[in-house]
Amino acid sequence: MIAEVKKNVYWVGAVDWGIRHFHGYELSTHRGTTYNAYLIRDEKTVLVDTVWGPFADQLVENIRQIIDPSKIDIVVANHAEVDHSGGLPVVMRHAPNATVVVSQRGAESVEGHFHQPWKFRAVKTGHNISIGQNELIFVEAPMLHWPDSMFTYLTGHNILLPNDAFGQHYASAYRFNDEVDQGELYEEAHKYYANILTPFSDLVTKKIDEVLALSLPVDMIGPSHGIIWRKDPLQIVKKYQEWAAQRPEQRAVVIYDTMWDGTRRMAEAIGDGLTDVGVDHKILHAVVTDRNDLLVEVFRAKTVVVGSPTLNNSVLPTIAPLLYDLKGLKFKNKLGAAFGCYGWSGEGVKVIEEQLDQAKIPVIREGIKCKWQPRAEDLEACRSFGREVGKATKKA
Ligand code: FEO
């Protein structure tokens, strides 16, 4: 169902209620998502972004409710990833004379995805295109979250269309932030930031400063996923500034896997130690916790405590990807610690500490190991370890 978000500016995208995994299976989307595309009617007709390929016909039918799709003059492709550009081939079949406006890097990536002889125009930051009464102004936003990513600003209506930035994987019957459950909205916006934008936090800060310095009035922010920020639209910009600063909460997350419950019992004893010194925490069994939800807890926490028994001179295969995520997402301002049971050689704790070091997460103290199943005194040592980790968490 289309929606007129401002006079002559329409949401013509699609709501994908059923999707539960994104980027293949990399990202969980418990609440579905939307693919937001915007049709602007002025002397020229502009489509900003499309939808994922399977929804392309729906996009065209949405457009047809407003205008004959062949009348589209300009298609802005802010970003080539196919959840936004996948509908381009169908749109361009209906509007073969339209110009596809892309960033400089988008000229590579959009062409590289579709290999079509469309008429392209590559723009840089500050370039503008008059569409009649109003103008489109472009701001390149490399690594928010791809090198080709770009923001489009519509003058007159004062709408910022920043593609993936400020988005959420959140299917809703409503289009605007003032219409939806605020807890759900922020949970999804936070998960989106933590899992997708964390490694680019310095660039997020710089880009927001750059856009704010342009002093463009912003009445609405229409990301390419989820709801549109209409009420106090800069609230999400302020929230991004806060998240990009990566100032974690004085809390901990204890993440473990276990073979015969020894490492689980260690995790819980460490948790008791954290409680002793008043440090809030979660204890997450990596096997049964959604990876992306787990990474949100890592994002929030000052201290990440990782536990695994030793297997094949290393950690369990469920813990290894987490250690790569800690490195890949480039978390800042964290502290770490390691623990685990072992039977024979006992390298698991050392492997975790090496990986924490590679992720630039300093360890609070040497990790704690337990041979075979923990005895009462081993669990008391874990509790003491938890107290020490907790005190360091509060001090930092
Ligand atoms: Fe980078 Fe929503 O795609």
Side-chain angles (χ1 to χ4, degrees):
M1 191 168 71
I2 64 170
E4 189 169 26
V5 300
K6 281 235 181 179
K7 188 158 176 52
N8 290 325
V9 180
Y10 301 86
W11 178 89
V12 289
V15 180
D16 190 345
W17 289 95
I19 192 166
R20 288 294 178 270
H21 298 99
F22 213 77
H23 298 148
Y25 282 81
E26 186 270 330
L27 185 66
S28 61
T29 49
H30 306 317
R31 294 191 174 101
T33 195
T34 74
Y35 313 105
N36 296 340
Y38 300 90
L39 189 80
I40 303 163
R41 294 192 69 184
D42 202 319
E43 288 167 28
K44 290 185 174 153
T45 299
V46 180
L47 179 67
V48 179
D49 292 323
T50 70
V51 294
W52 186 32
F55 293 85
D57 290 340
Q58 186 179 325
L59 168 68
V60 170
E61 287 315 306
N62 287 346
I63 294 168
R64 205 184 296 286
Q65 290 180 46
I66 303 158
I67 193 170
D68 177 348
S70 69
K71 305 283 188 217
I72 295 171
D73 300 292
I74 295 169
V75 180
V76 178
N78 277 321
H79 171 39
E81 202 166 3
V82 291
D83 49 326
H84 309 298
S85 72
L88 266 177
V90 172
V91 168
M92 294 306 288
R93 268 204 301 280
H94 286 85
N97 296 319
T99 299
V100 181
V101 175
V102 292
S103 67
Q104 300 285 310
R105 300 302 298 273
E108 296 169 42
S109 59
V110 176
E111 199 285 329
H113 274 80
F114 301 106
H115 315 292
Q116 294 293 323
W118 298 326
K119 192 166 36 169
F120 285 103
R121 176 169 171 186
V123 292
K124 291 183 177 173
T125 294
H127 282 179
N128 58 335
I129 295 177
S130 173
I131 57 172
Q133 296 294 309
N134 300 308
E135 287 183 346
L136 303 174
I137 299 176
F138 303 98
V139 178
E140 290 165 288
M143 302 321 293
L144 271 70
H145 69 122
W146 270 21
D148 64 5
S149 297
M150 180 169 79
F151 297 175
T152 298
Y153 176 82
L154 175 63
T155 66
H157 298 291
N158 305 335
I159 304 178
L160 181 66
L161 301 171
N163 196 261
D164 280 318
F166 312 122
Q168 336 87 44
H169 288 304
Y170 184 26
S172 170
Y174 300 101
R175 297 280 70 80
F176 295 107
N177 65 318
D178 47 289
E179 299 174 307
V180 300
D181 182 295
Q182 299 300 292
E184 290 186 354
L185 169 61
Y186 268 97
E187 197 175 300
E188 294 303 336
H190 194 192
K191 178 175 174 179
Y192 194 96
Y193 188 95
N195 280 276
I196 298 173
L197 289 159
T198 299
F200 315 117
S201 288
D202 289 348
L203 295 169
V204 170
T205 302
K206 279 190 197 143
K207 187 52 59 180
I208 288 175
D209 290 348
E210 181 189 324
V211 172
L212 293 178
L214 297 173
S215 297
L216 299 169
V218 177
D219 294 348
M220 192 177 279
I221 297 177
S224 55
H225 295 294
I227 61 79
I228 298 165
W229 302 92
R230 169 174 73 178
K231 183 177 180 189
D232 182 15
L234 292 180
Q235 65 179 282
I236 190 62
V237 177
K238 289 186 199 118
K239 194 50 91 173
Y240 263 47
Q241 287 175 311
E242 191 183 299
W243 288 334
Q246 293 206 52
R247 286 189 290 266
E249 300 169 40
Q250 283 192 345
R251 54 184 290 118
V253 59
V254 181
I255 303 163
Y256 73 96
D257 194 4
T258 194
M259 292 171 80
W260 297 108
D261 274 351
T263 303
R264 176 185 66 76
R265 291 165 67 214
M266 292 181 77
E268 290 172 3
I270 290 168
D272 289 343
L274 290 164
T275 300
D276 286 342
V277 294
V279 171
D280 194 9
H281 60 277
K282 285 194 176 165
I283 300 175
L284 303 177
H285 186 186
V287 178
V288 295
T289 309
D290 176 273
R291 168 179 162 265
N292 305 104
D293 294 342
L294 183 150
L295 289 170
V296 175
E297 294 302 327
V298 171
F299 183 88
R300 290 180 65 194
K302 175 75 202 177
T303 300
V304 186
V305 189
V306 183
S308 174
T310 296
L311 178 75
N312 298 334
N313 310 113
S314 186
V315 294
L316 285 181
T318 40
I319 293 298
L322 163 74
L323 298 170
Y324 275 87
D325 277 329
L326 293 180
K327 195 161 48 172
L329 286 171
K330 298 186 172 69
F331 292 107
K332 287 185 179 167
N333 305 321
K334 303 281 185 211
L335 294 172
F339 66 99
C341 284
Y342 68 104
W344 305 106
S345 55
E347 294 91 342
V349 166
K350 179 169 68 73
V351 168
I352 293 168
E353 288 178 338
E354 285 167 359
Q355 294 295 319
L356 289 171
D357 182 58
Q358 286 192 29
K360 299 189 170 53
I361 298 176
V363 295
I364 291 167
R365 53 151 286 175
E366 188 185 345
I368 187 163
K369 300 201 291 189
C370 178
K371 193 167 171 67
W372 309 120
Q373 284 289 341
R375 298 181 179 85
E377 57 265 36
D378 297 317
L379 294 176
E380 190 45 53
C382 288
R383 188 165 178 159
S384 169
F385 179 87
R387 284 195 289 270
E388 198 175 327
V389 167
K391 284 177 192 161
T393 303
K394 287 170 87 171
K395 209 187 297 171

